[in-house]
Amino acid sequence: MTSISKVFEKALCIRLTEHFNTNKLLVGNQFGFKKGIATEDTIFKLTSGILNTLNNKATAGSIFCDLEKDFDSVNHDILLSKLPYYGISGKAKLLLESYFWNRYQRVQITNSYLNSNTVSKWTIIKYWVPQGSILGPLLFLVYINDLPKAVERKALPILFADDTSILLTSRNNIQMQSDLNFVFEQLNKWFKSNQHFLNFDKTCFIKFFSKIKCTSEIQIKYEDKQLSLTNETKFLGLFINNNLSWKTH
């Protein structure tokens, strides 16, 4: 990218960020790529929500999502279709369309032992926001900005860019089971309609407890897939276990 392009992209990013911040368009559940907000704020939001629930003798559990090729799965057409909802239309929208338009990529493999150099054909890019670019992080936030609305009636979504945890609190285990399956279904519907997909091998659910461990079985299913239950997982570099003892960490 040329120096002039970087300066122009920076100016565009500043204007767009100002627009989103002034009009408070980015959801408060999103903590990633925001000035003055760090991973610690995200972790505190999650852990304090769990502790408050347990202190009130209610049931708490969290789905920790792992997305497949998150930044590389951003569909340009879907992203551009969302812009008018945030007041970006006319020439501003055309400018962002040109940002994605006519981008190509190819793969080059060099083998020094065989003294060979293989290059694939040029292919147009229909998905992905440019990682390492100035505008990339903001455009990704815009793309997933409506994700919390899919589940917020029954749960508290907490996001740091693509790292997503869904905190559920219920009065009892029966209500927890019902809410979990509803939330997980809505979550998967959003991912499917936005051409994002969960990595079921790395996505998990933790049910939290304080002193007395609850042994009730919980099953979370979507179509023919079942979510794994675990006692601990890694979230934003922190190992979280089911009683928040921090022994694993």
Side-chain angles (χ1 to χ4, degrees):
M1 183 181 290
T2 65
S3 298
I4 295 176
S5 298
K6 288 183 179 179
V7 172
F8 186 79
E9 187 178 351
K10 180 67 174 179
L12 182 59
C13 185
I14 291 173
R15 290 293 299 273
L16 286 173
T17 302
E18 182 181 354
H19 170 73
F20 277 93
N21 290 341
T22 301
N23 296 286
K24 298 180 180 179
L25 298 174
L26 294 177
V27 292
N29 311 68
Q30 175 63 259
F31 292 82
F33 303 127
K34 289 184 176 180
K35 188 176 181 180
I37 298 179
T39 54
E40 290 89 342
D41 300 289
T42 319
I43 294 167
F44 176 78
K45 182 73 172 179
L46 175 63
T47 54
S48 62
I50 296 168
L51 291 171
N52 289 335
T53 302
L54 296 178
N55 288 336
N56 291 325
K57 298 182 179 180
T59 304
S62 186
I63 301 171
F64 294 89
C65 302
D66 185 89
L67 299 181
E68 295 180 346
K69 302 178 180 179
D70 36 32
F71 278 77
D72 294 334
S73 299
V74 173
N75 181 290
H76 297 168
D77 292 333
I78 294 176
L79 173 60
L80 292 170
S81 70
K82 294 183 179 188
L83 296 180
Y85 291 98
Y86 302 112
I88 302 172
S89 57
K91 292 182 178 179
K93 184 172 180 288
L94 289 173
L95 187 59
L96 286 171
E97 286 179 5
S98 69
Y99 180 77
F100 290 111
W101 182 75
N102 212 26
R103 285 180 180 259
Y104 287 81
Q105 67 178 5
R106 67 176 181 176
V107 177
Q108 177 176 312
I109 302 175
T110 302
N111 189 322
S112 57
Y113 294 102
L114 300 177
N115 194 27
S116 64
N117 187 39
T118 306
V119 181
S120 68
K121 294 180 180 180
W122 285 104
T123 304
I124 193 167
I125 303 174
K126 297 181 180 180
Y127 302 86
W128 149 95
V129 289
Q131 294 195 49
S133 65
I134 298 169
L135 265 177
L138 177 60
L139 293 175
F140 183 78
L141 294 190
V142 174
Y143 192 80
I144 64 171
N145 195 54
D146 57 328
L147 168 60
K149 295 184 183 297
V151 298
E152 63 185 4
R153 283 178 48 238
K154 294 282 188 179
L156 174 65
I158 302 171
L159 295 82
F160 190 90
D162 60 310
D163 286 294
T164 303
S165 63
I166 310 294
L167 177 62
L168 294 97
T169 59
S170 301
R171 297 184 301 274
N172 51 56
N173 292 322
I174 297 175
Q175 186 66 44
M176 170 66 77
Q177 176 74 73
S178 175
D179 290 346
L180 269 170
N181 281 289
F182 174 80
V183 166
F184 197 55
E185 181 180 6
Q186 296 303 309
L187 196 64
N188 277 281
K189 284 182 178 178
W190 186 94
F191 286 136
K192 183 176 289 187
S193 63
N194 286 272
Q195 298 189 9
H196 269 49
F197 299 96
L198 281 176
N199 182 344
F200 274 79
D201 293 332
K202 294 183 179 180
T203 298
C204 63
F205 172 76
I206 295 180
K207 184 178 179 184
F208 298 96
F209 64 92
S210 50
K211 294 181 180 180
I212 302 175
K213 184 174 181 180
C214 182
T215 56
S216 62
E217 292 293 328
I218 287 181
Q219 291 187 339
I220 313 168
K221 295 182 178 180
Y222 178 71
E223 295 180 346
D224 60 338
K225 297 180 180 179
Q226 183 167 328
L227 192 62
S228 63
L229 311 181
T230 185
N231 292 326
E232 63 184 37
T233 191
K234 192 175 184 181
F235 180 65
L236 296 177
L238 191 74
F239 284 98
I240 296 177
N241 59 8
N242 54 6
N243 62 355
L244 298 185
S245 67
W246 311 118
K247 288 182 180 179
T248 304
H249 187 74

